[in-house]
Amino acid sequence: MTQESNDRTIRVLDPATVNQIAAGEVVERPASVVKELVENAIDASAGTIRIDITSVQGGIAAIRVTDDGCGMSPADAELAFAPHATSKITKLDDLYSIHTLGFRGEALASIAAVARVTLVTKPRGSSMTAGTRVVVVGGVVNTKGATGAPEGTNVFVEELFFNTPARKKFQKSLNTELARIHGILEGLCLAYPRISFRLFYNNREQLVTERTSQLLDTITRVFGNDYARELLPVSADLPLLSISGYISRPVLSRKSHDHILVSINGRYVTSPSIIAAIREGYGPLLPRGRFPVAFLSLSLDTRLVDINVHPTKKEVRLTKEKEIGEAVRDTVFVTLHHSNLIPDGTIPSPDQSEHKPANVSSTYTVQGVAEPSAPYDIRNMGSEKIAAPVSSVTSHTLFNEPTHTGTVSTDHRLRQTESTGDVIPVTAMVPPMEVIGQVGGVYILAAAPDGELIIIDQHAAHERIFYEKVSRTLAVKHAQELLIPVVIHRTPRDAMLLRELIPALAQEGVIIEEFGSDTFLIRAVPAIMGKCEGPEIIDDLISDLLSCDLERPLSDRERIIRIIACRSAIKAGTVCTYEQSQRIVNQLRATHTPFTCPHGRPTMIRFTRAKLDEMFGRT
Ligand code: ADP
Ligand code: MG
């Protein structure tokens, strides 16, 4: 600025400054450039859109978006860079019936205000042999002329933020930026399965989708088979809106709602109210703190959607937001309650890597909580141990003769989780099952009425049962005093952590007193686990609690309950009688969330009769 700083005369800003300020809103970061350019290509009805990102020295150096869309005439090619120049609306009213992603005429002007942009374009089906090339640097047209070009448009952006150093400095790391670009493209790919998207980073292919009319094909391309196989189709034609897409079985869930992608009238949007509605539709079917995966498109009267809330158009304002939310929630609920939610065992298991530690051994560990060890090592259960009883049994029973002490303890645990309140609700989401046998003391085999074979992980199942029981019980009233208090000693660091947890533990019935010099007295334990085991279980519980920092985002209560459930549940490797196995199955059916253990891994998988027939060549 040339004026003195103490000159307070009002003046109209020059267009270049206005554009730079406006650019700040539309072009926050490199990822916003990608979003705007790709949306322009979609609006130009492209069939294929290619995005090339180049990086130099840990920063994004160039972005190129190439499309085979309608292209622009020489006059339009230059006009496109003028602020508020758009071919998409002519008057305010048009906003209420908009079917394009752009309409503000700001993107190209804003990007060109803070970068060097080269646009090469030729109208589709034009008789011209040459296309147009326009170069705009910092908002000023630098070159314009004819050039050889294919039909469609190619926008090349370099030197982003060269004239706004403050913004350049605030760029996050390259990886954060690339992750954002991926996120934006995932949303657009799913909102437009009929367009083929190709993302390249430093000439390496990152994401490619083919043109398809099947959304599931695109989901598979973007998120892989593991997702696709756990998705349930959603389709609802309601008075207010129609909803289509896919939602996940409870077994496929995530720590955040980052894979709930919603588009409204073809526009991929962020809508906290719709995300909340989808989550509500699952109710207790998902563990606390977990979110489903969902890809939903909503179509509604364009007059109910105000997209002109923010320059980036990612937020929308919905008239009848509450009614729309309720419709989404109910649709999700009905879809889940009309589907078989037990994961299909014939397809490889979903990627649980999100909560699987690097070295997954045969005892599955989740989020730092080790499954308690079995009374004897499962891996040492040599074939002769199983083979002997199996060969001597008649017909379909596979039950071992359990040891007496084991049976008593298992009976006790099953009594703890049984109550007259455990009536299987009429709306039980798991079919009645008849137990057939037990494998390796780990899995229960059961048959469902329609000929399905169901395999239940006995520890995961009982953990789920225990967890719900403990959550429902007001434990303070059910603390059981130990005859002889257990003394535990901890390192100073652990002692400090434990001190903080004393009140929360007391709430759940674990009464601990400090005894000086990092020693503690355990006076009482929750009655529900009281008789299950010796005092070591409490020592283990405390160790678990202090070691699972990973679960920090969960409340203390939630962590304590999960650990109590995990420690008290029947362990893998415990040989159960037929009757005990049947009790586990029945108790599981009576839970609210029968499909997953509290950590989110499956409690059961199924093999459909049709699939079994197919595998045996009976079809
Ligand atoms: P908006 O998309 O809001 O209209 P933009 O600044 O993004 O504003 O684009 C301005 C105009 O340039 C668009 O209205 C369109 O006519 C034209 N345009 C931009 N990109 C393309 C493209 N890839 N293909 C054809 N026309 C385009
Ligand atoms: Mg645009």
Side-chain angles (χ1 to χ4, degrees):
M1 297 258 152
T2 51
Q3 284 85 5
E4 305 270 302
S5 57
N6 59 359
D7 177 359
R8 298 200 176 198
T9 329
I10 298 179
R11 68 189 65 79
V12 176
L13 294 170
D14 63 87
T17 312
V18 172
N19 277 352
Q20 277 189 23
I21 294 172
E25 289 194 306
V26 185
V27 192
E28 288 170 311
R29 50 197 317 149
S32 359
V33 172
V34 174
K35 174 177 183 289
E36 293 296 336
L37 296 182
V38 173
E39 289 191 350
N40 278 348
I42 294 171
D43 285 346
S45 47
T48 301
I49 303 174
R50 175 177 168 136
I51 303 100
D52 280 281
I53 311 288
T54 322
S55 76
V56 170
Q57 293 171 347
I60 290 185
I63 297 166
R64 183 193 294 280
V65 175
T66 315
D67 69 56
D68 58 357
C70 66
M72 281 176 269
S73 68
D76 279 357
E78 188 172 347
L79 194 57
F81 287 99
H84 314 297
T86 179
S87 56
K88 298 168 194 175
I89 58 168
T90 54
K91 54 186 189 304
L92 189 65
D93 265 4
D94 294 347
L95 271 185
Y96 296 102
S97 53
I98 194 130
H99 287 287
T100 53
L101 294 170
F103 58 82
R104 298 171 65 112
E106 281 178 337
L108 282 181
S110 301
I111 297 167
V114 293
R116 176 192 182 89
V117 181
T118 307
L119 171 89
V120 174
T121 185
K122 189 167 106 176
R124 192 189 275 158
S126 89
S127 52
M128 294 183 283
T129 41
T132 312
R133 179 167 178 271
V134 182
V135 182
V136 184
V137 184
V140 181
V141 179
N142 177 298
T143 328
K144 192 193 159 190
T147 183
E151 291 179 3
T153 303
N154 178 327
V155 184
F156 185 53
V157 178
E158 311 157 89
E159 297 170 39
L160 188 59
F161 303 130
F162 77 95
N163 52 357
T164 49
R167 181 141 307 205
K168 192 170 187 147
K169 225 170 82 195
F170 276 108
Q171 291 308 304
K172 291 266 167 30
S173 77
L174 179 63
N175 282 337
T176 314
E177 213 46 46
L178 291 172
R180 279 193 185 251
I181 292 172
H182 266 271
I184 286 167
L185 283 173
E186 282 165 7
L188 289 169
C189 288
L190 295 176
Y192 295 92
R194 288 171 196 275
I195 298 177
S196 160
F197 291 86
R198 296 167 184 264
L199 170 66
F200 287 79
Y201 171 58
N202 289 344
N203 288 324
R204 270 207 314 275
E205 188 181 289
Q206 302 291 307
L207 176 70
V208 171
T209 64
E210 302 301 336
R211 305 181 67 165
T212 172
S213 56
Q214 305 297 317
L215 176 62
L216 201 57
D217 292 344
T218 310
I219 295 173
T220 310
R221 281 310 275 258
V222 178
F223 292 101
N225 257 325
D226 291 347
Y227 266 37
R229 63 188 210 92
E230 292 304 349
L231 293 176
L232 307 164
V234 178
S235 167
D237 245 328
L238 307 166
L240 198 56
L241 75 165
S242 57
I243 307 173
S244 66
Y246 293 87
I247 57 172
S248 63
R249 289 202 177 91
V251 75
L252 176 60
S253 70
R254 295 180 63 81
K255 279 201 269 302
S256 77
H257 54 73
D258 59 345
H259 287 173
I260 298 184
L261 302 183
V262 177
S263 65
I264 298 184
N265 295 343
R267 184 182 301 275
Y268 164 55
V269 294
T270 321
S271 167
S273 70
I274 293 190
I275 291 174
I278 294 171
R279 177 63 187 84
E280 266 174 51
Y282 280 75
L285 277 177
L286 281 179
R288 237 171 288 172
R290 302 290 299 181
F291 290 86
V293 168
F295 308 106
L296 292 183
S297 358
L298 316 187
S299 308
L300 53 154
D301 189 334
T302 48
R303 280 166 303 185
L304 295 178
V305 195
D306 182 359
I307 41 182
N308 196 19
V309 181
H310 189 267
T312 62
K313 296 163 274 165
K314 232 193 132 187
E315 281 164 41
V316 290
R317 201 173 289 134
L318 297 172
T319 312
K320 304 204 176 164
E321 185 171 46
K322 188 164 161 276
E323 291 84 346
I324 292 171
E326 283 166 1
V328 170
R329 179 198 63 200
D330 295 347
T331 302
V332 168
F333 181 89
V334 170
T335 304
L336 290 167
H337 286 255
H338 282 92
S339 308
N340 193 335
L341 298 182
I342 308 175
D344 190 332
T346 45
I347 322 172
S349 89
D351 181 17
Q352 299 261 332
S353 56
E354 198 198 344
H355 41 207
K356 198 192 279 176
N359 57 336
V360 190
S361 61
S362 63
T363 31
Y364 195 102
T365 37
V366 191
Q367 293 183 355
V369 186
E371 186 172 323
S373 58
Y376 47 87
D377 195 334
I378 322 159
R379 284 157 298 189
N380 293 345
M381 285 202 19
S383 47
E384 78 280 20
K385 251 194 176 154
I386 298 177
V390 169
S391 57
S392 63
V393 290
T394 50
S395 72
H396 59 277
T397 55
L398 281 171
F399 286 98
N400 295 323
E401 201 50 55
T403 60
H404 181 66
T405 44
T407 311
V408 170
S409 139
T410 303
D411 269 342
H412 183 80
R413 282 159 202 271
L414 287 172
R415 253 200 314 282
Q416 297 285 47
T417 49
E418 210 151 39
S419 75
T420 42
D422 279 343
V423 190
I424 294 164
V426 213
T427 54
M429 299 185 74
V430 182
M433 290 183 266
E434 198 198 324
V435 168
I436 304 165
Q438 194 199 26
V439 180
V442 180
Y443 300 110
I444 297 169
L445 304 186
D450 50 3
E452 285 193 342
L453 171 66
I454 303 193
I455 304 182
I456 298 133
D457 178 320
Q458 113 195 349
H459 173 75
H462 200 226
E463 201 179 4
R464 158 59 55 193
I465 297 161
F466 224 104
Y467 171 83
E468 291 199 4
K469 178 95 182 181
V470 179
S471 311
R472 263 181 279 136
T473 319
L474 258 180
V476 218
K477 296 198 195 93
H478 298 279
Q480 181 185 319
E481 208 147 323
L482 298 173
L483 285 178
I484 309 159
V486 178
V487 181
I488 58 166
H489 185 80
R490 282 291 182 268
T491 62
R493 175 189 165 270
D494 282 0
M496 209 171 65
L497 294 173
L498 182 54
R499 233 168 263 135
E500 273 173 32
L501 288 169
I502 288 178
L505 280 163
Q507 285 294 314
E508 304 310 320
V510 184
I511 313 287
I512 302 185
E513 258 173 40
E514 215 174 333
F515 201 51
S517 54
D518 303 333
T519 302
F520 300 85
L521 274 190
I522 298 166
R523 293 214 168 272
V525 297
I528 198 165
M529 63 193 299
K531 294 198 191 87
C532 285
E533 291 241 14
E536 331 63 87
I537 194 173
I538 293 298
D539 201 25
D540 291 345
L541 188 150
I542 304 287
S543 302
D544 284 353
L545 202 51
L546 298 180
S547 69
C548 61
D549 287 11
L550 278 172
E551 290 194 62
R552 276 293 172 201
L554 295 175
S555 68
D556 286 341
R557 165 152 218 252
E558 185 66 20
R559 287 161 60 228
I560 294 168
I561 295 176
R562 285 189 188 184
I563 293 168
I564 291 178
C566 184
R567 282 284 162 193
S568 317
I570 291 170
K571 295 163 185 57
T574 306
V575 179
C576 292
T577 64
Y578 169 84
E579 192 251 341
Q580 288 168 337
S581 301
Q582 189 66 56
R583 277 163 81 186
I584 296 174
V585 169
N586 291 345
Q587 290 182 17
L588 182 65
R589 288 189 64 218
T591 61
H592 289 293
T593 316
F595 306 103
T596 54
C597 79
H599 310 293
R601 77 179 171 92
T603 51
M604 54 188 141
I605 56 169
R606 72 196 161 95
F607 291 78
T608 62
R609 172 64 198 268
K611 194 68 202 178
L612 290 173
D613 287 349
E614 188 192 317
M615 291 194 296
F616 283 99
R618 283 189 170 275
T619 38

